[in-house]
Amino acid sequence: MPKILIMTGDGAESLEVMYPYQRLIEEGYEVDIAAPTVKRLRFVVHDFEEDFDTYTEKPGYTWPADVAFADVDPSDYVALVIPGGRAPEYIRNDPDCLRIVRHFYLDRLPVAQLCHGPLIPAAAGVLEGRRTAAYPALEPDMMLAGAEFADEAAVVDGHVISGRSWNDHPAWMHEFMHLLQQKAPQPVR
């Protein structure tokens, strides 16, 4: 059974981890969640409320990590998902996290990144010359990384699919599923 890796940590947006996790399992893929260490992760819920200049944050789900970044052999996986939330802000400093991301980018394997997720490929130095969506407040970060920022629900740039936030799940995951069918098909049982 083809395996897909989700890279995240504490402070990840609940929906941005759980939606692709469940959707990919539904399609017949095995999915591992990687984090800095193997432990029970604490996710958050980001919401948009009237009279708030940015999103709000509330406690979300907890979920176990399957594998530590240091123990990930990226060649065991056919694709990578990088959810957003606050987790990318600190896991991008983990050298094994960057090693994993570079593997998927340089080997042109399917990558789905959402919201603050593109902060990790930016830190890995693999966004230069690419077109990517991200949470709109990250436009300057994407430009500093050498990428063209796109304020769109689903941006397809070769083997990388990106979106702005959990609101973009339908378009973002739709494009990612098409890419997986081309690059790493998994027959429905």
mmCIF file of all heavy atoms in Angstrom, residues 58-85:
data_model
loop_
_atom_site.group_PDB
_atom_site.id
_atom_site.type_symbol
_atom_site.label_atom_id
_atom_site.label_comp_id
_atom_site.label_asym_id
_atom_site.label_seq_id
_atom_site.Cartn_x
_atom_site.Cartn_y
_atom_site.Cartn_z
ATOM 1 N N LYS A 58 -8.207 28.548 19.090
ATOM 2 C CA LYS A 58 -8.810 27.832 20.208
ATOM 3 C C LYS A 58 -8.212 26.424 20.256
ATOM 4 O O LYS A 58 -7.711 25.938 19.251
ATOM 5 C CB LYS A 58 -10.319 27.749 19.995
ATOM 6 C CG LYS A 58 -10.995 29.111 19.922
ATOM 7 C CD LYS A 58 -12.409 28.972 19.364
ATOM 8 C CE LYS A 58 -13.080 30.316 19.213
ATOM 9 N NZ LYS A 58 -12.566 31.126 18.120
ATOM 10 N N PRO A 59 -8.268 25.749 21.396
ATOM 11 C CA PRO A 59 -7.770 24.367 21.451
ATOM 12 C C PRO A 59 -8.536 23.476 20.475
ATOM 13 O O PRO A 59 -9.744 23.629 20.287
ATOM 14 C CB PRO A 59 -8.043 23.940 22.896
ATOM 15 C CG PRO A 59 -8.154 25.218 23.657
ATOM 16 C CD PRO A 59 -8.735 26.222 22.703
ATOM 17 N N GLY A 60 -7.805 22.562 19.856
ATOM 18 C CA GLY A 60 -8.401 21.632 18.899
ATOM 19 C C GLY A 60 -8.191 20.197 19.341
ATOM 20 O O GLY A 60 -8.070 19.905 20.528
ATOM 21 N N TYR A 61 -8.109 19.319 18.362
ATOM 22 C CA TYR A 61 -7.930 17.900 18.637
ATOM 23 C C TYR A 61 -6.524 17.603 19.134
ATOM 24 O O TYR A 61 -5.599 18.377 18.920
ATOM 25 C CB TYR A 61 -8.161 17.079 17.367
ATOM 26 C CG TYR A 61 -9.559 17.169 16.834
ATOM 27 C CD1 TYR A 61 -9.825 17.843 15.653
ATOM 28 C CD2 TYR A 61 -10.619 16.584 17.516
ATOM 29 C CE1 TYR A 61 -11.114 17.934 15.155
ATOM 30 C CE2 TYR A 61 -11.910 16.666 17.025
ATOM 31 C CZ TYR A 61 -12.154 17.337 15.842
ATOM 32 O OH TYR A 61 -13.426 17.429 15.362
ATOM 33 N N THR A 62 -6.382 16.447 19.770
ATOM 34 C CA THR A 62 -5.061 15.883 20.024
ATOM 35 C C THR A 62 -4.961 14.627 19.173
ATOM 36 O O THR A 62 -5.978 13.972 18.889
ATOM 37 C CB THR A 62 -4.844 15.544 21.515
ATOM 38 O OG1 THR A 62 -5.779 14.535 21.909
ATOM 39 C CG2 THR A 62 -5.000 16.786 22.382
ATOM 40 N N TRP A 63 -3.752 14.306 18.736
ATOM 41 C CA TRP A 63 -3.573 13.158 17.854
ATOM 42 C C TRP A 63 -2.143 12.667 17.982
ATOM 43 O O TRP A 63 -1.221 13.479 18.082
ATOM 44 C CB TRP A 63 -3.855 13.570 16.403
ATOM 45 C CG TRP A 63 -4.166 12.408 15.525
ATOM 46 C CD1 TRP A 63 -3.297 11.770 14.685
ATOM 47 C CD2 TRP A 63 -5.420 11.755 15.387
ATOM 48 N NE1 TRP A 63 -3.934 10.743 14.040
ATOM 49 C CE2 TRP A 63 -5.252 10.720 14.443
ATOM 50 C CE3 TRP A 63 -6.667 11.919 15.968
ATOM 51 C CZ2 TRP A 63 -6.272 9.871 14.074
ATOM 52 C CZ3 TRP A 63 -7.698 11.075 15.597
ATOM 53 C CH2 TRP A 63 -7.498 10.073 14.667
ATOM 54 N N PRO A 64 -1.923 11.357 17.952
ATOM 55 C CA PRO A 64 -0.561 10.845 18.114
ATOM 56 C C PRO A 64 0.279 10.988 16.838
ATOM 57 O O PRO A 64 -0.202 10.726 15.732
ATOM 58 C CB PRO A 64 -0.779 9.364 18.453
ATOM 59 C CG PRO A 64 -2.095 9.023 17.830
ATOM 60 C CD PRO A 64 -2.925 10.282 17.890
ATOM 61 N N ALA A 65 1.522 11.374 17.028
ATOM 62 C CA ALA A 65 2.487 11.331 15.929
ATOM 63 C C ALA A 65 2.952 9.884 15.784
ATOM 64 O O ALA A 65 3.137 9.182 16.780
ATOM 65 C CB ALA A 65 3.662 12.244 16.216
ATOM 66 N N ASP A 66 3.142 9.458 14.538
ATOM 67 C CA ASP A 66 3.568 8.082 14.270
ATOM 68 C C ASP A 66 5.084 7.930 14.247
ATOM 69 O O ASP A 66 5.609 6.866 14.560
ATOM 70 C CB ASP A 66 3.022 7.621 12.909
ATOM 71 C CG ASP A 66 1.514 7.632 12.859
ATOM 72 O OD1 ASP A 66 0.890 6.944 13.698
ATOM 73 O OD2 ASP A 66 0.952 8.328 11.994
ATOM 74 N N VAL A 67 5.772 8.983 13.847
ATOM 75 C CA VAL A 67 7.212 8.883 13.637
ATOM 76 C C VAL A 67 7.863 10.242 13.866
ATOM 77 O O VAL A 67 7.267 11.284 13.564
ATOM 78 C CB VAL A 67 7.512 8.332 12.213
ATOM 79 C CG1 VAL A 67 6.971 9.244 11.127
ATOM 80 C CG2 VAL A 67 8.981 8.046 12.002
ATOM 81 N N ALA A 68 9.070 10.233 14.402
ATOM 82 C CA ALA A 68 9.850 11.455 14.579
ATOM 83 C C ALA A 68 10.544 11.799 13.264
ATOM 84 O O ALA A 68 10.940 10.900 12.507
ATOM 85 C CB ALA A 68 10.884 11.274 15.686
ATOM 86 N N PHE A 69 10.715 13.095 12.999
ATOM 87 C CA PHE A 69 11.393 13.528 11.775
ATOM 88 C C PHE A 69 12.722 12.797 11.586
ATOM 89 O O PHE A 69 13.050 12.368 10.484
ATOM 90 C CB PHE A 69 11.661 15.036 11.789
ATOM 91 C CG PHE A 69 10.432 15.903 11.741
ATOM 92 C CD1 PHE A 69 10.454 17.153 12.338
ATOM 93 C CD2 PHE A 69 9.272 15.507 11.107
ATOM 94 C CE1 PHE A 69 9.346 17.985 12.300
ATOM 95 C CE2 PHE A 69 8.152 16.321 11.067
ATOM 96 C CZ PHE A 69 8.186 17.567 11.660
ATOM 97 N N ALA A 70 13.494 12.668 12.654
ATOM 98 C CA ALA A 70 14.820 12.052 12.565
ATOM 99 C C ALA A 70 14.758 10.609 12.081
ATOM 100 O O ALA A 70 15.731 10.100 11.508
ATOM 101 C CB ALA A 70 15.528 12.119 13.915
ATOM 102 N N ASP A 71 13.626 9.946 12.275
ATOM 103 C CA ASP A 71 13.480 8.540 11.902
ATOM 104 C C ASP A 71 12.791 8.335 10.563
ATOM 105 O O ASP A 71 12.566 7.193 10.146
ATOM 106 C CB ASP A 71 12.719 7.791 12.993
ATOM 107 C CG ASP A 71 13.467 7.786 14.315
ATOM 108 O OD1 ASP A 71 14.720 7.744 14.291
ATOM 109 O OD2 ASP A 71 12.806 7.854 15.373
ATOM 110 N N VAL A 72 12.443 9.417 9.880
ATOM 111 C CA VAL A 72 11.741 9.304 8.598
ATOM 112 C C VAL A 72 12.736 9.018 7.474
ATOM 113 O O VAL A 72 13.714 9.748 7.293
ATOM 114 C CB VAL A 72 10.957 10.596 8.278
ATOM 115 C CG1 VAL A 72 10.439 10.571 6.835
ATOM 116 C CG2 VAL A 72 9.807 10.786 9.254
ATOM 117 N N ASP A 73 12.451 7.950 6.728
ATOM 118 C CA ASP A 73 13.148 7.696 5.466
ATOM 119 C C ASP A 73 12.175 8.149 4.379
ATOM 120 O O ASP A 73 11.191 7.459 4.096
ATOM 121 C CB ASP A 73 13.481 6.219 5.308
ATOM 122 C CG ASP A 73 14.159 5.909 3.982
ATOM 123 O OD1 ASP A 73 14.249 6.804 3.108
ATOM 124 O OD2 ASP A 73 14.615 4.760 3.814
ATOM 125 N N PRO A 74 12.394 9.321 3.791
ATOM 126 C CA PRO A 74 11.404 9.847 2.850
ATOM 127 C C PRO A 74 11.178 8.947 1.636
ATOM 128 O O PRO A 74 10.120 9.005 1.018
ATOM 129 C CB PRO A 74 11.959 11.210 2.442
ATOM 130 C CG PRO A 74 13.337 11.290 2.951
ATOM 131 C CD PRO A 74 13.519 10.219 3.980
ATOM 132 N N SER A 75 12.136 8.068 1.331
ATOM 133 C CA SER A 75 11.943 7.176 0.187
ATOM 134 C C SER A 75 10.863 6.123 0.454
ATOM 135 O O SER A 75 10.444 5.422 -0.465
ATOM 136 C CB SER A 75 13.255 6.510 -0.211
ATOM 137 O OG SER A 75 13.708 5.653 0.809
ATOM 138 N N ASP A 76 10.390 6.029 1.690
ATOM 139 C CA ASP A 76 9.294 5.114 2.023
ATOM 140 C C ASP A 76 7.927 5.679 1.622
ATOM 141 O O ASP A 76 6.922 4.981 1.738
ATOM 142 C CB ASP A 76 9.257 4.833 3.529
ATOM 143 C CG ASP A 76 10.417 3.978 3.999
ATOM 144 O OD1 ASP A 76 11.075 3.317 3.161
ATOM 145 O OD2 ASP A 76 10.673 3.976 5.220
ATOM 146 N N TYR A 77 7.883 6.932 1.178
ATOM 147 C CA TYR A 77 6.620 7.626 0.946
ATOM 148 C C TYR A 77 6.508 8.103 -0.503
ATOM 149 O O TYR A 77 7.504 8.489 -1.118
ATOM 150 C CB TYR A 77 6.498 8.823 1.893
ATOM 151 C CG TYR A 77 6.525 8.399 3.345
ATOM 152 C CD1 TYR A 77 7.723 8.346 4.046
ATOM 153 C CD2 TYR A 77 5.352 8.015 3.994
ATOM 154 C CE1 TYR A 77 7.771 7.930 5.372
ATOM 155 C CE2 TYR A 77 5.384 7.593 5.321
ATOM 156 C CZ TYR A 77 6.591 7.550 5.997
ATOM 157 O OH TYR A 77 6.620 7.138 7.299
ATOM 158 N N VAL A 78 5.273 8.098 -1.010
ATOM 159 C CA VAL A 78 5.028 8.534 -2.386
ATOM 160 C C VAL A 78 4.634 10.002 -2.470
ATOM 161 O O VAL A 78 4.637 10.579 -3.565
ATOM 162 C CB VAL A 78 3.949 7.667 -3.077
ATOM 163 C CG1 VAL A 78 4.403 6.205 -3.168
ATOM 164 C CG2 VAL A 78 2.595 7.780 -2.364
ATOM 165 N N ALA A 79 4.273 10.617 -1.339
ATOM 166 C CA ALA A 79 3.828 12.011 -1.352
ATOM 167 C C ALA A 79 3.955 12.595 0.049
ATOM 168 O O ALA A 79 4.086 11.871 1.036
ATOM 169 C CB ALA A 79 2.377 12.107 -1.835
ATOM 170 N N LEU A 80 3.882 13.937 0.090
ATOM 171 C CA LEU A 80 4.023 14.679 1.332
ATOM 172 C C LEU A 80 2.908 15.708 1.452
ATOM 173 O O LEU A 80 2.570 16.381 0.473
ATOM 174 C CB LEU A 80 5.375 15.412 1.339
ATOM 175 C CG LEU A 80 5.663 16.355 2.500
ATOM 176 C CD1 LEU A 80 5.785 15.577 3.817
ATOM 177 C CD2 LEU A 80 6.933 17.149 2.227
ATOM 178 N N VAL A 81 2.358 15.839 2.674
ATOM 179 C CA VAL A 81 1.373 16.882 2.976
ATOM 180 C C VAL A 81 1.951 17.739 4.096
ATOM 181 O O VAL A 81 2.419 17.210 5.111
ATOM 182 C CB VAL A 81 0.019 16.274 3.414
ATOM 183 C CG1 VAL A 81 -0.970 17.383 3.799
ATOM 184 C CG2 VAL A 81 -0.563 15.396 2.307
ATOM 185 N N ILE A 82 1.889 19.072 3.888
ATOM 186 C CA ILE A 82 2.386 20.012 4.892
ATOM 187 C C ILE A 82 1.239 20.934 5.288
ATOM 188 O O ILE A 82 0.956 21.914 4.605
ATOM 189 C CB ILE A 82 3.563 20.849 4.359
ATOM 190 C CG1 ILE A 82 4.640 19.953 3.735
ATOM 191 C CG2 ILE A 82 4.148 21.692 5.486
ATOM 192 C CD1 ILE A 82 5.735 20.734 3.010
ATOM 193 N N PRO A 83 0.537 20.622 6.390
ATOM 194 C CA PRO A 83 -0.552 21.474 6.851
ATOM 195 C C PRO A 83 -0.010 22.754 7.491
ATOM 196 O O PRO A 83 1.181 22.857 7.796
ATOM 197 C CB PRO A 83 -1.269 20.634 7.908
ATOM 198 C CG PRO A 83 -0.611 19.301 7.915
ATOM 199 C CD PRO A 83 0.689 19.435 7.211
ATOM 200 N N GLY A 84 -0.933 23.679 7.735
ATOM 201 C CA GLY A 84 -0.556 24.940 8.349
ATOM 202 C C GLY A 84 -0.846 24.996 9.830
ATOM 203 O O GLY A 84 -0.714 24.017 10.544
ATOM 204 N N GLY A 85 -1.243 26.160 10.269
ATOM 205 C CA GLY A 85 -1.338 26.450 11.689
ATOM 206 C C GLY A 85 -0.011 27.045 12.133
ATOM 207 O O GLY A 85 0.785 27.511 11.318
#
